[in-house]
Amino acid sequence: MQRPDYLVIITGLSGSGKSYVQSTLEDLGFYCSDNLPIALIEPFLEEVASHEKANRVCIVVDVRTHDFASIFPTFYRERIQKLVPNSVLIFLEANDEVLARRYSETRRPHPMAKDLPVVEAIRRERAELHEVKALANMVLDTSQFSVHELKAEVMKRFQLSGYEVTMLVTVITFGFKYQTPYNLDLLFDVRFLPNPHFVEELRPKTGLDPEVIEYLAQQPSYEEFYQRLYDFVSYLAPQYKKEMKSYLTIGIGCTGGKHRSVAIGERLGNDLLKAGYLVEIVHRDCRR
C-alpha cells in the first residue's frame, strides 16, 4: 500500500479548536480531511498517497464517529502506526468552563449528548477519551489561546523546514461612485487631492500615465501625504503578519477610480513589493 510521508491526526474534546489546527496545517501545505470515518482512513491514505502534493496529510477524527472512543485506540496502535511510522497524534483539550462558554457562544449542541446539559456532556466526553489522550504525541490545552495564538503555537511546534508564513498584500484602487469594495482591511480616501479629471489634457489618461503622476507630484500636499501613508502601512503590515493573517487588502479610493487612487495605489504596491511583501495591485475602475 502506498502511504504519505507524514501523517498528522487531530483529535480531542469537542470545542477545543480542532478546526483551527486543521486550517493551520492546511496553510502549511497539508492535505486535510475532517470527520473521516475510521473505516475509511486506510483507503483515504492509499488514495491521497498517489497525489503529487499530498505527501503530508492531516485527518481530524473525534466523537462524531460512532463508537470512536472504543475503536480508535486499537486502530491507531495496530494499523496507523504501522502503516505510517512517521505519524503524529495531536490531542486538543480545554477546561470545562471554557468549553461550555464556547458552546454557549456558538449555540451548537454538544455531539456527545444533545439532550444533556453541556457541562455534563463535556465531562462525559473527557472521561471517554482518556485512552485516546494517553496515545497522543502532543497534548494542547487551548483554554488560554486566542485563535491567532493557537495557530502560532502549532506552527512553532511543527517547525516545518522551508516554510515561512506568507501574507499577500492586495492594493485595490476604485472609484467611490462605483461603490466601495466589501473586503477591505484598510481604506484610504484620496479625494482631497486636486482631481486631474478637470485638466482637459489629463482627463483621458489614467494614474498609470507619467503626465498624471507628474501633475500629482506637483501638488503641495501630495508627497507628504504619500510618505505618511507608506509609513503607516509599512508599520501595520508586520503587525498583521505577526497575527498570522494570510491576506491584507488595502483600498485606495477617489471619485472615479481613474487618476489619483491609481497613481497612489500603484506607487504603494510597488514600494511594498520592494520591501519584500507579496503584492497584488488591482485597478478596479481604471478603464471605465
Side-chain angles (χ1 to χ4, degrees):
M1 167 183 168
Q2 288 183 300
R3 65 204 70 183
D5 297 331
Y6 194 60
L7 171 65
V8 174
I9 296 180
I10 301 169
T11 190
L13 301 180
S14 303
S16 59
K18 297 187 292 293
S19 61
Y20 289 111
V21 175
Q22 177 195 329
S23 64
T24 299
L25 292 179
E26 203 162 36
D27 291 345
L28 290 168
F30 279 73
Y31 189 99
C32 298
S33 176
D34 184 21
N35 196 23
L36 193 66
I38 292 175
L40 296 181
I41 291 179
E42 287 188 63
F44 172 77
L45 293 177
E46 186 172 5
E47 166 64 23
V48 301
S50 61
H51 297 186
E52 182 180 350
K53 296 183 179 180
N55 60 319
R56 296 185 300 192
V57 175
C58 166
I59 299 172
V60 179
V61 289
D62 52 37
V63 296
R64 290 173 292 175
T65 296
H66 182 64
D67 289 336
F68 170 77
S70 59
I71 296 172
F72 181 77
T74 300
F75 178 81
Y76 183 74
R77 284 191 299 262
E78 297 183 0
R79 301 299 302 162
I80 295 298
Q81 290 186 315
K82 293 178 182 178
L83 288 171
V84 189
N86 196 15
S87 61
V88 173
L89 178 63
I90 302 176
F91 188 94
L92 302 182
E93 61 181 359
N95 64 52
D96 291 357
E97 181 181 349
V98 168
L99 292 174
R101 185 177 69 246
R102 290 174 183 173
Y103 269 98
S104 175
E105 290 170 352
T106 62
R107 300 184 180 182
R108 298 189 63 193
H110 194 284
M112 276 293 290
K114 299 180 181 180
D115 56 339
L116 291 176
V118 66
V119 173
E120 187 175 340
I122 290 168
R123 290 170 180 167
R124 177 181 294 184
E125 182 184 28
R126 193 186 299 277
E128 290 196 12
L129 293 182
H130 178 76
E131 186 178 356
V132 175
K133 178 181 176 180
L135 292 171
N137 308 93
M138 185 186 304
V139 177
L140 279 178
D141 186 329
T142 67
S143 301
Q144 302 302 318
F145 284 132
S146 69
V147 293
H148 303 300
E149 290 167 339
L150 178 57
K151 187 172 186 177
E153 182 69 16
V154 172
M155 288 182 168
K156 181 180 75 175
R157 293 207 184 197
F158 276 85
Q159 295 181 329
L160 296 173
S161 61
Y163 181 84
E164 181 182 356
V165 178
T166 59
M167 179 177 70
L168 173 64
V169 180
T170 300
V171 179
I172 179 168
T173 69
F174 66 94
F176 280 100
K177 70 178 183 179
Y178 302 119
Q179 296 187 332
T180 305
Y182 71 91
N183 59 336
L184 301 179
D185 299 297
L186 299 172
L187 170 61
F188 300 98
D189 183 347
V190 297
R191 288 176 292 186
F192 68 92
L193 292 168
N195 193 346
H197 175 80
F198 297 112
V199 179
E200 188 173 349
E201 61 270 25
L202 298 180
R203 185 174 301 169
K205 298 183 183 296
T206 74
L208 299 174
D209 292 311
E211 296 89 345
V212 173
I213 295 171
E214 179 61 27
Y215 171 82
L216 291 171
Q218 291 173 1
Q219 307 308 313
S221 55
Y222 173 77
E223 190 60 31
E224 180 183 358
F225 164 74
Y226 179 76
Q227 291 304 324
R228 288 174 181 265
L229 170 66
Y230 180 74
D231 289 345
F232 183 62
V233 172
S234 60
Y235 166 76
L236 283 180
Q239 311 306 317
Y240 282 113
K241 187 174 181 181
K242 186 170 66 176
E243 288 297 308
M244 305 297 172
K245 191 171 177 64
S246 300
Y247 303 96
L248 174 63
T249 305
I250 303 170
I252 301 177
C254 62
T255 304
K258 184 175 182 180
H259 297 106
R260 295 165 289 180
S261 62
V262 170
I264 292 171
E266 187 75 12
R267 182 178 178 184
L268 178 64
N270 285 325
D271 283 348
L272 290 171
L273 189 63
K274 292 173 186 175
Y277 290 95
L278 181 63
V279 177
E280 176 186 34
I281 304 173
V282 179
H283 299 303
R284 192 191 71 178
D285 303 322
C286 185
R287 302 300 176 186
R288 287 186 185 239

